[in-house]
Amino acid sequence: MFFAYTVLVISMNEKRFRYAVYVVLVILILLFYTKDIDLFGKNFYKNIKSIDHPEAIMVLVNKTYKLDDRYIPNDLETISTSYAYENKQLRKEAKEAFESLSKEAETLGFRIIATSAYRDYDYQKKLFEEYVADKGEVYALECSAKPGHSEHQTGLAVDVAGSNDDYDEFEVSMEFPWMRENAHRYGFILRYPKGKEGITGFKYEPWHYRYVGVEIANIIYEEGLTLEEYYDKYL
């Protein structure tokens, strides 16, 4: 009887041991495959690097790479009010591409309008601080960049609205499907896609588009990449 009991205990202990080993192995596998994913934002706004060539069309601005507070693009142009709210500016190449995009959309019965484009450092600082005061820092960090870390300062990023005239509701506008499938043809990418928050550091923003040029935009669109992933893969 005692012998049988002992065998049973040993058998149970072996099962528990094997179970514990399996659990450890699963954890190690998960850690290996997610080691480069910043699931909890622990790497955002750490080890900040200054941007050496902010004028480059492919410049990477995010929660790691920062623009100088004095940087202002030298080729900003005002977007036609046919396709933007008043006094919205982009760099010349991006502005011309955006107007062409909006013009084609218009011929198809759509309305793509720029609600926000270039923002200087001080404007972004004020905006971020307002988010913090109104919604708290955690929310602000998800949806707004700290000053110097905003793509809008490059003059290459644009927030858009559709015929419902609300950028925050752009995803439910009739324009969104067209914009999502055609922006790359004009050199724009959906900068903060759904499911890539751990890479970009920002929540999904269906209204935020970034100009990178037609060639790069096509690659990013076809391969379903973020700008960060494109840099890691190709640069």
Side-chain angles (χ1 to χ4, degrees):
M1 183 72 175
F2 177 77
F3 176 75
Y5 176 76
T6 302
V7 170
L8 177 62
V9 169
I10 292 173
S11 177
M12 290 177 65
N13 286 338
E14 286 179 348
K15 288 180 180 178
R16 288 172 181 164
F17 177 75
R18 286 199 298 270
Y19 178 77
V21 170
Y22 293 149
V23 170
V24 171
L25 286 173
V26 169
I27 292 172
L28 289 173
I29 291 170
L30 287 173
L31 288 172
F32 176 80
Y33 283 104
T34 62
K35 67 183 186 300
D36 296 323
I37 300 176
D38 189 16
L39 296 174
F40 305 104
K42 61 183 181 298
N43 294 323
F44 295 140
Y45 293 124
K46 302 287 179 65
N47 302 316
I48 304 300
K49 300 175 178 61
S50 297
I51 295 171
D52 294 327
H53 300 287
E55 74 287 349
I57 292 296
M58 275 296 294
V59 61
L60 179 63
V61 180
N62 57 19
K63 292 183 176 182
T64 298
Y65 292 93
K66 182 181 181 182
L67 293 162
D68 188 275
D69 59 357
R70 297 163 295 179
Y71 175 68
I72 300 174
N74 61 12
D75 58 348
L76 289 171
E77 293 189 359
T78 302
I79 305 169
S80 167
T81 51
S82 295
Y83 310 117
Y85 292 167
E86 288 187 357
N87 300 319
K88 301 304 176 187
Q89 295 182 309
L90 288 173
R91 290 183 56 185
K92 178 179 173 60
E93 184 177 333
K95 175 252 188 184
E96 291 176 352
F98 181 76
E99 289 183 344
S100 295
L101 179 154
S102 295
K103 186 175 182 179
E104 181 186 346
E106 186 177 44
T107 65
L108 298 172
F110 299 127
R111 179 174 181 265
I112 303 291
I113 187 165
T115 62
S116 182
Y118 168 71
R119 302 176 194 154
D120 64 22
Y121 182 96
D122 291 335
Y123 184 101
Q124 188 66 31
K125 183 174 185 293
K126 179 182 177 183
L127 183 64
F128 182 78
E129 289 172 350
E130 287 175 352
Y131 270 111
V132 172
D134 186 39
K135 300 282 190 176
E137 186 175 22
V138 173
Y139 179 84
L141 289 171
E142 290 179 353
C143 65
S144 181
K146 289 184 178 182
H149 294 272
S150 173
E151 285 195 325
H152 285 281
Q153 191 181 343
T154 67
L156 297 169
V158 59
D159 294 340
V160 301
S163 52
N164 59 2
D165 213 29
D166 184 348
Y167 82 92
D168 204 33
E169 296 293 324
F170 184 62
E171 187 176 21
V172 298
S173 71
M174 66 178 186
E175 285 79 9
F176 176 66
W178 184 88
M179 185 71 171
R180 180 185 58 203
E181 301 303 324
N182 290 277
H184 64 283
R185 295 172 44 233
Y186 292 90
F188 289 90
I189 60 170
L190 176 59
R191 181 62 178 93
Y192 305 123
K194 187 180 294 184
K196 298 295 183 81
E197 294 86 351
I199 297 171
T200 66
F202 290 99
K203 69 183 183 70
Y204 171 48
E205 293 189 357
W207 59 82
H208 182 110
Y209 291 82
R210 160 66 192 275
Y211 184 78
V212 294
V214 173
E215 181 180 355
I216 305 305
N218 275 290
I219 294 172
I220 288 174
Y221 171 79
E222 292 294 338
E223 298 189 18
L225 304 174
T226 62
L227 191 55
E228 284 81 5
E229 290 172 313
Y230 177 86
Y231 262 75
D232 286 343
K233 185 173 183 179
Y234 292 107
L235 299 179

